[in-house]
Amino acid sequence: MCSACDSDLRQLRDCFSVYSIQNAWADIDIQFLENAGDWARATQEMDVLVCDVSDETVMPAIRETKRKNPAVMVLPIADSHVPPARYVRPEIMPIALFWKPLLKKEVEQTVLQVMAMFRRRMADRPDMLEISDRRKTQYVPYADILYLEAREKKVFLRTEYREFGLRGTLREMEESLPEYFLRCHKSFIVNRQRITGIDRVEQMVELTEKIHIPISRNYKKDFLEALHEDGK
């Protein structure tokens, strides 16, 4: 029984890449594992696992991955020589199947279905902020947010790698964010989990990546009291 050839895996990678970029899901962790030896480079935090199940030796690794990360979405690659009982199991629960030979149209349909499922899953997670505009909907983990800033009559959200424009006001965001977000200035809300230091002389908050945010006189007392309660 042959495993997935390079062209098949390249086709799957390309298709997932196109749809994840189009939907601004660059952070989705998709692992393509062809044989048991590939598991050394796999991450337990992966979101999607695409694996060729022609090689029966990969099955224990798949089961162990699902045990450690029940949320991972498993997509087996199989053909008529692979008995379904090998991969259609309660402890694996594949969400879809890639059937060899891989046909472009069928691959695209399956990838779209998987991405739609991933989108619904993200929307149901309480630790995600949904950001929508006319073109697309994106999901940002609250833990990844460094700060929010009001400028140019808009609100901007900053992570380590990207900036997002949001609808609404900073006051509206302040009311909806988790309690570990603190207002330190009329134009800034910071994630206190990302605070690395406070400069009381310069009246600045230092965040991850050496980012400095001002502390205004009007918010200083409440802000510092909240940090004190949090042990900072």
Side-chain angles (χ1 to χ4, degrees):
M1 291 182 286
C2 63
S3 63
C5 64
D6 289 344
S7 61
D8 287 339
L9 292 175
R10 185 165 55 250
Q11 179 184 357
L12 290 173
R13 287 190 178 96
D14 290 347
C15 193
F16 270 105
S17 177
V18 167
Y19 286 110
S20 61
I21 291 173
Q22 286 178 349
N23 291 278
W25 292 334
D27 292 335
I28 181 174
D29 188 347
I30 305 172
Q31 298 284 331
F32 298 86
L33 306 178
E34 183 178 355
N35 53 60
D38 288 341
W39 248 259
R41 60 180 174 80
T43 62
Q44 294 299 333
E45 295 76 24
M46 71 182 83
D47 299 303
V48 177
L49 171 60
V50 182
C51 47
D52 192 318
V53 294
S54 300
D55 181 357
E56 190 173 3
T57 63
V58 305
M59 302 312 300
I62 296 175
R63 289 193 289 270
E64 180 65 9
T65 299
K66 281 289 291 186
R67 185 186 69 81
K68 293 181 177 179
N69 180 10
V72 67
M73 297 187 287
V74 177
L75 282 83
I77 305 171
D79 59 26
S80 58
H81 297 96
V82 180
R86 179 179 297 175
Y87 53 87
V88 182
R89 305 170 66 93
E91 66 270 28
I92 296 175
M93 291 297 292
I95 60 169
L97 173 68
F98 290 114
W99 194 255
K100 293 185 288 188
L102 301 182
L103 302 179
K104 182 179 180 180
K105 185 176 181 180
E106 293 178 359
V107 166
E108 289 179 345
Q109 290 175 343
T110 300
V111 170
L112 278 174
Q113 291 172 358
V114 172
M115 289 299 187
M117 292 179 65
F118 181 77
R119 177 176 176 174
R120 290 193 296 270
R121 180 178 291 182
M122 293 300 100
D124 291 338
R125 285 179 54 176
D127 60 339
M128 290 283 184
L129 175 64
E130 180 180 302
I131 303 174
S132 299
D133 58 26
R134 294 179 180 178
R135 297 186 300 114
K136 58 193 174 187
T137 298
Q138 304 169 73
Y139 298 94
V140 178
Y142 285 114
D144 289 351
I145 300 173
L146 298 176
Y147 66 87
L148 297 96
E149 178 184 6
R151 72 173 191 270
E152 303 168 3
K153 299 182 179 181
K154 291 185 66 177
V155 174
F156 293 89
L157 177 156
R158 171 74 186 274
T159 69
E160 290 185 23
Y161 306 106
R162 298 191 63 184
E163 183 175 82
F164 300 87
L166 309 177
R167 292 180 292 184
T169 67
L170 209 59
R171 180 176 294 278
E172 291 170 343
M173 292 301 303
E174 186 178 15
E175 294 174 352
S176 62
L177 289 167
E179 62 179 10
Y180 52 85
F181 283 86
L182 301 175
R183 189 79 171 261
C184 64
H185 190 280
K186 69 176 182 179
S187 299
F188 290 96
I189 296 175
V190 297
N191 182 347
R192 68 178 169 192
Q193 296 180 345
R194 292 304 196 107
I195 294 175
T196 57
I198 302 293
D199 187 331
R200 289 177 170 79
V201 175
E202 298 295 332
Q203 302 298 304
M204 301 290 288
V205 184
E206 182 179 294
L207 304 176
T208 308
E209 304 301 312
K210 302 299 182 182
I211 294 172
H212 293 84
I213 303 296
I215 305 172
S216 70
R217 182 180 304 172
N218 290 338
Y219 289 92
K220 179 180 177 180
K221 183 176 181 293
D222 290 341
F223 175 71
L224 293 179
E225 286 181 354
L227 287 183
H228 179 72
E229 292 172 0
D230 197 38
K232 286 199 178 285

